[in-house]
Amino acid sequence: MHEENRITIGFLLFDGFPMACLTSVIEPLRAANEIAGKQAFGWVLVSERGQKVQSSAGVGFEAALALTGCKDIDILFLLSSPTSGFADPRTGNGALRGFGRHGTVLGGISGGVFPLVRSGAMVDQPVSVHWCYEAAFEAEFPDIDARSEVIVRTDTRWTAAGAAAGFDLALHLISDRLGSEIAHEVACWFQHPMMRGAGVRQKVPDTTAPGSGDQLPPLVARSVELFAGHLSEPISIAEVAGQMRVTPRQIERAFKQATGQSPSHYYRSMRMKAARQMVMYTKDPIAQIAVAVGYSSVTPLVSHYKAAFGLSPAEDRRRINRFRVEDNAPLPSI
């Protein structure tokens, strides 16, 4: 900390970063300063070379500092898409590791956890990974402790899964620095219903029948958990039923009623979504992706992928790469 114990937060921006992740942290801190009547928090925009950065919405942001010129920053959050990286990885990654060694708290919000982990600054550290990026993250970083909580916070590393989680993280900072009453008032200013913390899992969209709500029945929810744990080594419906101590027919009926789909089709949809994450956010060969989502060969993956998305995995990847090159734009990030 420095002048008047003000906490200074740097936001390291990469092209394609989601604006919401930036404003969702800065705005509650600004409000806290106003409510407290003092500059308890300060912030600065940082980029690799001090260059202008473009958000995923195409809005440009002027950075005040280059990464290597940062001084007196207490917390440095990385904001990016999953595919973002340094133009000079050796220098950029070394700078991040250096900040971490000298006491700066390092963090990443949403896709920002990818370049943060790539830097080598998260060895033996748990990471909050947005559900939209889980399969791609696991494929690139199989040895990292990836968690589904909205916030994962240790003494020196803070990560959050998305813009709303970034707001929650800001509320925790406010509570730590200025007390829970001011944090609560800030939340009320923005009609933020609650401050989520460690151990709160992300809300993940479920395919439910119209009018059925967003809560899956326990039998279906537990089956989905088993499916999610067996993407690379598929589990049969009979095996799921055996673990649940029910009959396969009971699971069939429960899925039809809750989701309008059979459990096998629901399971396939989960595997295809995981495959698409890897097609979009990794450079893994299609054959390797097929194995990662439980196929012994590429042919059935291609068939099911085309049925789900209208393109083969290779065609989808070419489309994505063409979009990046022609439009000079990253994929939308969360």
Side-chain angles (χ1 to χ4, degrees), residues 271-294:
R271 292 162 67 193
M272 290 304 99
K273 289 175 182 177
R276 194 158 199 247
Q277 286 185 31
M278 286 181 269
V279 167
M280 293 171 71
Y281 299 119
T282 76
K283 296 180 180 178
D284 294 348
I286 304 303
Q288 186 175 327
I289 293 173
V291 172
V293 294

Side-chain angles (χ1 to χ4, degrees), residues 223-231 235 237 240 255 263 266-267 270:
S223 298
V224 170
E225 288 181 8
L226 289 172
F227 292 161
H230 291 82
L231 292 181
I235 188 172
I237 305 305
V240 171
F255 265 86
Y266 192 102
Y267 192 10
M270 292 176 65

Side-chain angles (χ1 to χ4, degrees), residues 268 272 275-276 295 298-316:
R268 181 189 297 174
M272 290 304 99
R276 194 158 199 247
Y295 291 94
V298 170
T299 301
L301 169 68
V302 171
S303 176
H304 293 162
Y305 197 100
K306 288 186 74 171
F309 306 117
L311 296 169
S312 72
E315 290 168 340
D316 206 9

Side-chain angles (χ1 to χ4, degrees), residues 171 174-187 195:
L171 291 178
I174 294 164
S175 182
D176 292 345
R177 175 72 176 82
L178 299 173
S180 59
E181 289 188 5
I182 288 182
H184 177 68
E185 186 169 348
V186 170
M195 181 172 71

Side-chain angles (χ1 to χ4, degrees), residues 4-321:
E4 299 181 354
N5 291 325
R6 182 175 66 177
I7 297 173
T8 300
I9 302 170
F11 294 93
L12 177 56
L13 308 180
F14 293 79
D15 281 327
F17 81 94
M19 286 192 302
C21 289
L22 177 64
T23 58
S24 67
V25 179
I26 289 179
E27 284 299 303
L29 298 179
R30 173 193 61 80
N33 284 347
E34 293 186 25
I35 292 168
K38 61 181 180 180
Q39 293 298 307
F41 300 98
W43 46 86
V44 61
L45 302 187
V46 181
S47 64
E48 181 177 2
R49 303 179 304 278
Q51 80 277 14
K52 186 174 182 178
V53 179
Q54 190 174 68
S55 73
S56 59
V59 179
F61 286 77
E62 298 284 353
L65 293 174
L67 178 61
T68 54
C70 288
K71 294 181 180 179
D72 299 324
I73 286 181
D74 302 299
I75 305 168
L76 181 64
F77 286 121
L78 276 66
L79 305 183
S80 75
S81 76
T83 56
S84 299
F86 291 113
D88 180 357
R90 182 177 180 180
T91 301
N93 292 336
L96 289 181
R97 293 194 300 272
F99 285 131
R101 286 194 300 270
H102 292 93
T104 301
V105 173
L106 298 178
I109 300 175
S110 193
V113 301
F114 282 77
L116 179 61
V117 174
R118 290 186 192 115
S119 74
M122 296 297 286
V123 175
D124 297 325
Q125 293 281 349
V127 178
S128 171
V129 178
H130 194 288
W131 63 265
C132 186
Y133 302 139
E134 282 178 354
F137 189 91
E138 172 65 23
E140 185 172 354
F141 311 112
D143 298 325
I144 294 292
D145 181 8
R147 301 184 182 178
S148 60
E149 287 91 347
V150 293
I151 294 172
V152 173
R153 185 177 174 189
T154 67
D155 289 342
T156 60
R157 302 291 186 269
W158 300 349
T159 54
F167 196 107
D168 292 317
L169 188 54
L171 291 178
H172 281 279
L173 281 168
I174 294 164
S175 182
D176 292 345
R177 175 72 176 82
L178 299 173
S180 59
E181 289 188 5
I182 288 182
H184 177 68
E185 186 169 348
V186 170
C188 291
W189 269 33
F190 294 95
Q191 292 298 292
H192 195 73
M194 61 179 290
M195 181 172 71
R196 299 171 298 175
V200 178
R201 293 175 65 86
Q202 298 173 45
K203 186 173 179 61
V204 177
D206 294 312
T207 304
T208 57
S212 64
D214 59 6
Q215 294 294 319
L216 291 174
L219 179 61
V220 177
R222 176 61 182 138
S223 298
V224 170
E225 288 181 8
L226 289 172
F227 292 161
H230 291 82
L231 292 181
S232 60
E233 297 179 356
I235 188 172
S236 70
I237 305 305
E239 289 172 317
V240 171
Q243 292 196 36
M244 300 286 289
R245 297 186 177 182
V246 297
T247 67
R249 180 60 182 153
Q250 284 175 283
I251 292 180
E252 291 276 351
R253 285 200 302 266
F255 265 86
K256 283 286 188 179
Q257 183 174 1
T259 72
Q261 299 182 55
S262 69
S264 60
H265 278 86
Y266 192 102
Y267 192 10
R268 181 189 297 174
S269 176
M270 292 176 65
R271 292 162 67 193
M272 290 304 99
K273 289 175 182 177
R276 194 158 199 247
Q277 286 185 31
M278 286 181 269
V279 167
M280 293 171 71
Y281 299 119
T282 76
K283 296 180 180 178
D284 294 348
I286 304 303
Q288 186 175 327
I289 293 173
V291 172
V293 294
Y295 291 94
S296 58
S297 69
V298 170
T299 301
L301 169 68
V302 171
S303 176
H304 293 162
Y305 197 100
K306 288 186 74 171
F309 306 117
L311 296 169
S312 72
E315 290 168 340
D316 206 9
R317 180 169 278 174
R318 283 196 295 271
R319 178 192 64 82
I320 292 162
N321 289 337

